[in-house]
């Protein structure tokens, strides 16, 4: 009997009716003869609500307590789904991340899965149970609960699928699949029938939150086929898998955007070896991930260094950088938190000139100022003002003919 892992996101389990709908869908897969493992997110906006509540009690909560608090959201939805299945006459058992054998490192709020011991799940499946696992969490070596970062239940699902050697990992959400751009911003966006891991990874890392980027990375490493589909409708979704897509070469596959960008510029930085390390080491130690980095070619041995972080990390990053800047003799630290980024993605861009020029020209025609540019082999990203991001996504979508089949 094949193992199938299904994951249902927060909006798919937002209330009792929706949980019953999920239970019905899960039971259908079980009735087809599959061994079913289900991963759930917290109900609706539970995680946001818990973060807000904690903030009212303590503006700087301890990361350990915060993770323990947030992990409860997924425990609520997993137990309720199990109860819904019981009410329908099915055998099911809910397990927290630790009970499911998921181990993580101790980087609270952004923990990585370090291993899975699937014995308990395998035993429960053997007993004929449908196994419901609380997403987004695992146990550290100190026996603390750590969470995997926002959107992390996708990663729980793909990691479990890999560890159980499932035939497929199905991600059910509130859209029909992966689109050429966020369908909430571009109504003409087209659903993709399939997309390779490489392109999906760039989309997810560039802000397409339909899949947690680390889940795509795991899918690629373990060659796990991932289906993204609607938890409500029975329409075909998007298959994420390996292999080249012959027809889509020479084409942009999708536009991704991210509103969560803040920029720090350190001006008047002495241009000598070791300076970049002096600035970025303390940020790395504090667990702040830096995205785009641009260093201007210096004149008179003085240069400016600009980099981006998430808005959430901006204040902490500035607190770390200010004393470092003084120490190295830099002039000043400036910041801007009202930024976003827009990216065009496609393996078809590899070794083909013209995409960057077309992207810049398109943004120029809309009078959108580009502040920073970064590229990978299959992606071009422009950092722009946050209030221009939606317009940029729509115009680029049209300019690269993504609204046509
Ligand atoms: P879940 O709660 O099921 O994990 P998410 O809210 O995390 O769902 O992800 C689904 C959302 O991702 C969609 O509602 C959509 O607005 C957004 N999204 C962003 N980019 C894309 C894209 N390229 N294709 C589909 N959805 C996208
Ligand atoms: N509940 C968590 C969040 O809102 C994890 C998830 O939904 O995947 O980020
Ligand atoms: Mg999600």
């Amino acid at each position: 009997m094949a193992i199938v892992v299904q994951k249902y996101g927060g909006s798919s389990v937002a209330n009792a009716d929706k949980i019953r709908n999920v239970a019905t869908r899960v039971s259908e897969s079980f009735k087809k003869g599959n061994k079913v493992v289900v991963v759930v997110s917290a109900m609706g906006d539970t995680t946001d609500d818990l973060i807000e509540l904690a903030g009212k009690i303590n503006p700087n909560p301890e990361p350990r307590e915060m993770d323990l608090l947030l992990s409860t959201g997924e425990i609520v939805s997993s137990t309720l789904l199990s109860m819904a299945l019981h009410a329908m006459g099915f055998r099911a058992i809910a397990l927290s991340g630790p009970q499911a054998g998921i181990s993580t490192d101790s980087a609270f709020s952004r923990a990585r899965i370090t291993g899975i011991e699937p014995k308990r799940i395998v035993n429960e499946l053997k007993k004929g149970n449908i196994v419901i696992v609380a997403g987004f969490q695992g146990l550290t070596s100190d026996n603390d609960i750590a969470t995997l970062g926002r959107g992390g239940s996708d990663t729980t699902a793909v990691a479990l699928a890999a560890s159980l050697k499932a035939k497929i990992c199905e991600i059910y959400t509130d859209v029909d699949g992966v689109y050429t751009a966020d369908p909430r911003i571009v109504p003409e966006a087209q659903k993709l029938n399939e997309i390779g891991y490489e392109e999906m990874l760039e989309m997810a890392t560039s802000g397409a939150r339909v899949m947690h980027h680390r889940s795509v990375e795991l899918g690629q490493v373990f060659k796990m086929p991932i289906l993204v589909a609607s938890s409500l409708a029975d329409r075909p979704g998007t298959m994420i898998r390996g292999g080249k897509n012959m027809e889509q070469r020479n084409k942009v596959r999708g536009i991704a955007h991210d509103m969560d960008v803040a920029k720090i510029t350190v001006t008047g930085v002495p241009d000598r070896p070791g300076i970049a390390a002096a600035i970025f080491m303390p940020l790395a130690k504090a667990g702040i991930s830096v995205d785009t980095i641009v260093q201007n070619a210096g004149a008179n041995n003085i240069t400016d260094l600009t980099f981006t972080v998430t808005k959430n990390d901006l204040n902490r990053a500035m607190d770390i950088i200010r004393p470092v800047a003084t120490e190295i003799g830099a002039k000043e630290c400036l910041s801007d938190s009202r930024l976003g980024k827009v990216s065009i993605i496609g393996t078809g861009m590899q070794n083909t000139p013209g995409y960057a020029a077309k992207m810049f020209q398109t943004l120029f025609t809309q009078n959108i100022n580009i502040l920073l540019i970064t590229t990978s082999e299959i992606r071009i990203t422009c950092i722009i003002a946050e209030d221009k991001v939606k317009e940029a996504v729509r115009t680029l979508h049209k300019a690269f003919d993504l609204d046509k089949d």
Side-chain angles (χ1 to χ4, degrees), residues 7 41 151 154 209-212:
K7 180 257 169 179
S41 289
D154 297 335
R209 76 165 194 280
V210 62
M211 286 294 291
H212 193 230

Side-chain angles (χ1 to χ4, degrees), residues 78-395:
S78 58
T79 47
L80 292 175
L81 178 58
S82 179
M83 289 177 198
L85 283 160
H86 295 162
M88 289 163 54
F90 291 91
R91 296 188 54 172
I93 184 164
L95 300 174
S96 67
Q99 287 174 318
I102 300 174
S103 302
T104 68
D105 61 21
S106 48
F108 293 114
S109 84
R110 57 195 152 82
R112 286 186 168 261
I113 295 177
T114 49
I116 297 182
E117 171 46 82
K119 224 172 11 194
R120 174 80 188 265
I121 298 183
V122 171
N123 280 341
E124 298 298 346
L125 289 173
K126 264 191 204 142
K127 285 190 225 161
N129 276 315
I130 295 168
V131 179
I132 322 288
V133 179
F136 172 61
Q137 56 188 266
L139 196 66
T140 71
S141 54
D142 295 326
N143 268 348
D144 284 321
I145 292 191
T147 65
L148 307 182
R150 300 305 306 268
S153 298
D154 297 335
T155 298
T156 304
V158 179
L160 279 175
S163 133
L164 293 163
K165 302 198 168 44
K167 73 169 176 192
I168 188 166
C169 182
E170 301 171 343
I171 305 284
Y172 291 107
T173 182
D174 59 1
V175 279
D176 282 354
V178 180
Y179 281 71
T180 47
D182 187 340
R184 291 183 204 284
I185 290 188
V186 185
E188 300 79 27
Q190 302 284 314
K191 196 193 77 202
L192 300 167
N193 292 327
E194 56 175 28
I195 182 168
Y197 294 116
E198 212 187 346
E199 285 176 329
M200 189 64 231
L201 186 56
E202 289 279 7
M203 292 274 287
T205 327
S206 308
R209 76 165 194 280
V210 62
M211 286 294 291
H212 193 230
H213 62 100
R214 276 160 45 199
S215 71
V216 185
E217 211 177 311
L218 280 179
Q220 183 169 32
V221 170
F222 291 97
K223 300 191 171 54
M224 177 55 59
I226 302 170
L227 172 76
V228 183
S230 164
S231 64
L232 291 172
D234 264 324
R235 285 189 281 270
T238 302
M239 276 305 302
I240 307 174
R241 59 168 149 233
K244 295 261 179 286
N245 190 334
M246 305 297 287
E247 288 169 42
Q248 297 294 337
R249 298 208 56 78
N250 258 327
K251 200 172 181 298
V252 170
R253 283 288 267 169
I255 315 280
H257 74 279
D258 191 348
M259 301 288 196
D260 191 9
V261 180
K263 174 177 80 125
I264 296 179
T265 302
V266 190
T267 65
V269 178
D271 197 2
R272 57 167 195 261
I275 288 293
I279 290 179
F280 293 114
M281 282 299 271
L283 290 174
K285 275 204 188 117
I288 295 176
S289 66
V290 172
D291 190 15
T292 307
I293 303 175
V294 178
Q295 182 179 336
N296 294 342
N300 305 325
N301 290 333
I302 297 284
T303 181
D304 292 345
L305 194 69
T306 299
F307 57 91
T308 61
V309 294
T310 62
K311 289 180 175 149
N312 219 354
D313 280 341
L314 178 63
N315 287 341
R316 230 158 39 95
M318 282 297 272
D319 289 347
I320 292 171
I321 288 302
R322 275 196 206 97
V324 176
T326 313
E327 209 171 292
I328 59 176
K331 192 164 159 234
E332 57 183 345
C333 291
L334 308 167
S335 70
D336 186 350
S337 63
R338 289 153 307 166
L339 303 179
K341 63 182 179 184
V342 59
S343 307
I344 61 171
I345 290 136
T347 46
M349 300 195 308
Q350 252 161 334
N351 307 322
T352 316
Y355 287 97
K358 183 163 177 178
M359 181 178 192
F360 305 154
Q361 177 67 22
T362 306
L363 294 177
F364 168 64
T365 54
Q366 297 300 309
N367 214 6
I368 297 173
N369 191 29
I370 303 170
L371 300 170
L372 298 171
I373 300 161
T374 57
T375 60
S376 80
E377 280 199 357
I378 65 164
R379 171 185 54 81
I380 305 167
T381 300
C382 294
I383 312 265
I384 60 177
E386 184 184 347
D387 59 3
K388 298 281 185 189
V389 169
K390 288 186 182 172
E391 189 188 342
V393 176
R394 289 189 197 110
T395 355

